[in-house]
Amino acid sequence: MLWTLFGWLLSIPYMFLFYALWILSCLFRPVMMASVLCLAYNPQSTLKKVRLFVMTVTYLALCHDKKWTEPKEDPASFFADSEDETIEKKTIIFVRHGESTWNDTFNKGDRSKVNFLVYFVPNLIYAAAMEFYWFVSGTEKQSWFFDAPLSNKGVSQARGIQTFLETGAAQGTNKEAELIGLMLGNTKNEDGTVSSQLVSSNLRRAISTVAMGFQDRLDKELKGDSILICPELQEISRNPDALSILESQGRAEPSFIDQEMQSVCDMERILGKQVDTRLHMGNKPTGSNGLVRMNAFCETAFNVIEKDSIIVGGHSLWFRSFFRSFLPRTFEHVSKKKKIVNGGIVAFTLLRIKDPSGYHYMMDPASITVLYGGF
């Protein structure tokens, strides 16, 4: 009797597997036929998703985004004997995006290893099913993996920035209060325009983080205020979550997570009317790399953006690489080793000087100020 019961218990997993495979085999043909009909009904959307997939494969095979040769010269060497009046300055505030759906699927984050491993396969199946649904339904602007949007946890982190901006000025130093005032848009130029510029990478999780985190400022619709998309800020990675869905100079569209937040943050209005995409010319070239784009951002900061303070919505690897490349080589700082946390805010002064060989840039090490979250 016991052996019979034991044998029956051992057979349960195999019975479950058999019936699961049987159900899948029965559904496979009708699902495939329905999918083909859906794809044929909206071929334009299908082609866009196929192009995105081809682009992903191309980047995985040919991209050298993380590979570059560091300049031999220490950034500090160009500023050692310079007079202060020959040095140009910009206040830069880095704001790292909230966690994305890609992070939620593939990264452990603050979950325990057991929790992550137990739910990894179910979460991956769910994400793949959502991706497949958007593909066959012709929803070309939505994706779980490509240009991964904020996850629900990422939304909470973005809203944490909003809460910090509401209360942080009363709790910090005078310098921190001044920087928070810049972020809130409280300081104005003589012509009445806001004195700081919000910018973001061309990836949805960064744009949404800036939109939600700075919602109170954007709701005021201040004169000359917008989120300027800077493609130079695109993350340093070859993964599909680092490829932008946003079309060249196109309209930013809310992700499926953004749409769920419409009742508390008017993402339709912010993304549709307050995101400036005139500088966005598409995805990073396969021949580009992180250093090329970091230098391009420095040029944009001084040559294109007229305002003296720039609030940058961006990414962990890009930010860490910037600290490593533009801080003095002898200056030890946690930013060279660790990433800014999701939703973290760090401010500093970016310096520029010109000599016969061209422009050179350096972060003022004494100016680094951790405002929220840290590393």
Side-chain angles (χ1 to χ4, degrees):
M1 183 68 178
L2 288 175
W3 283 109
T4 302
L5 179 62
F6 183 67
W8 181 78
L9 290 173
L10 287 178
S11 68
I12 290 177
Y14 297 99
M15 291 172 61
F16 177 80
L17 181 62
F18 170 79
Y19 283 111
L21 291 174
W22 177 70
I23 292 171
L24 288 174
S25 66
C26 293
L27 292 174
F28 180 78
R29 183 174 293 180
V31 168
M32 287 299 102
M33 290 180 64
S35 300
V36 170
L37 289 173
C38 290
L39 295 175
Y41 179 75
N42 196 342
Q44 185 177 3
S45 175
T46 302
L47 286 173
K48 286 184 178 180
K49 281 292 179 80
V50 170
R51 281 199 295 267
L52 198 57
F53 177 77
V54 171
M55 189 184 303
T56 298
V57 174
T58 302
Y59 271 88
L60 287 172
L62 303 176
C63 181
H64 299 286
D65 215 26
K66 294 183 178 180
K67 297 180 181 179
W68 64 80
T69 302
E70 288 289 349
K72 295 180 180 179
E73 300 86 356
D74 186 328
S77 65
F78 299 103
F79 295 83
D81 301 317
S82 303
E83 299 293 333
D84 191 61
E85 59 268 17
T86 65
I87 299 174
E88 300 173 79
K89 299 180 181 181
K90 291 270 186 174
T91 297
I92 308 292
I93 303 173
F94 279 170
V95 181
R96 186 186 171 190
H97 66 79
E99 188 175 281
S100 71
T101 53
W102 177 278
N103 300 141
D104 190 48
T105 303
F106 293 107
N107 297 351
K108 184 178 77 67
D110 55 7
R111 293 172 287 188
S112 68
K113 287 185 178 180
V114 173
N115 181 280
F116 173 69
L117 291 173
V118 167
Y119 289 101
F120 175 74
V121 173
N123 288 341
L124 182 60
I125 292 172
Y126 175 78
M130 292 296 293
E131 195 70 53
F132 180 74
Y133 166 75
W134 287 318
F135 180 59
V136 299
S137 65
T139 314
E140 62 190 64
K141 298 294 185 181
Q142 299 297 349
S143 178
W144 191 280
F145 300 120
F146 299 111
D147 194 355
L150 289 179
S151 65
N152 288 319
K153 182 178 178 181
V155 168
S156 298
Q157 291 165 337
R159 292 183 63 76
I161 295 172
Q162 180 188 22
T163 302
F164 164 73
L165 293 176
E166 289 176 351
T167 60
Q171 301 173 3
T173 64
N174 290 338
K175 181 180 180 180
E176 290 169 350
E178 180 183 351
L179 291 167
I180 291 171
L182 284 173
M183 288 190 282
L184 289 170
N186 293 339
T187 54
K188 306 288 193 304
N189 296 318
E190 292 181 1
D191 61 358
T193 58
V194 65
S195 64
S196 59
Q197 177 67 59
L198 294 171
V199 306
S200 171
S201 89
N202 52 3
L203 298 177
R204 294 185 295 172
R205 54 193 179 275
I207 301 172
S208 295
T209 297
V210 175
M212 293 180 192
F214 294 84
Q215 176 187 352
D216 294 336
R217 166 178 170 160
L218 292 165
D219 283 347
K220 298 175 186 176
E221 299 190 31
L222 302 169
K223 181 180 179 182
D225 202 20
S226 65
I227 303 172
L228 179 65
I229 302 301
C230 290
E232 304 96 323
L233 295 167
Q234 193 167 354
E235 177 63 311
I236 302 172
S237 172
R238 62 174 63 193
N239 292 334
D241 67 317
L243 294 180
S244 177
I245 286 179
L246 180 61
E247 295 181 1
S248 176
Q249 297 183 321
R251 184 182 186 274
E253 301 283 350
S255 72
F256 64 99
I257 297 290
D258 294 338
Q259 291 168 355
E260 295 174 2
M261 293 296 300
Q262 190 64 28
S263 61
V264 294
C265 181
D266 192 353
M267 295 295 285
E268 288 280 356
R269 188 204 80 238
I270 293 174
L271 298 183
K273 296 182 179 180
Q274 293 177 278
V275 174
D276 182 353
T277 61
R278 59 192 163 90
L279 299 181
H280 174 58
M281 297 301 173
N283 272 294
K284 56 191 177 185
T286 54
S288 175
N289 62 48
L291 184 61
V292 169
R293 294 200 302 282
M294 288 187 289
N295 280 313
F297 170 74
C298 291
E299 293 174 10
T300 297
F302 283 92
N303 297 338
V304 178
I305 299 173
E306 297 179 354
K307 296 173 181 178
D308 292 330
S309 301
I310 305 172
I311 299 149
V312 181
H315 308 273
S316 60
L317 294 178
W318 198 101
F319 287 160
R320 188 177 65 184
S321 298
F322 198 91
F323 283 112
R324 289 175 175 177
S325 297
F326 293 100
L327 278 172
R329 302 277 171 81
T330 57
F331 180 70
E332 294 294 329
H333 194 267
V334 64
S335 61
K336 293 183 176 182
K337 299 177 181 178
K338 292 187 176 182
K339 302 173 183 176
I340 298 175
V341 300
N342 290 106
I345 306 174
V346 179
F348 61 91
T349 302
L350 182 63
L351 310 177
R352 179 169 85 159
I353 195 168
K354 187 176 183 181
D355 68 11
S357 64
Y359 286 108
H360 305 281
Y361 304 92
M362 184 183 76
M363 298 172 65
D364 179 359
S367 68
I368 298 175
T369 305
V370 176
L371 292 169
Y372 178 66
F375 296 89

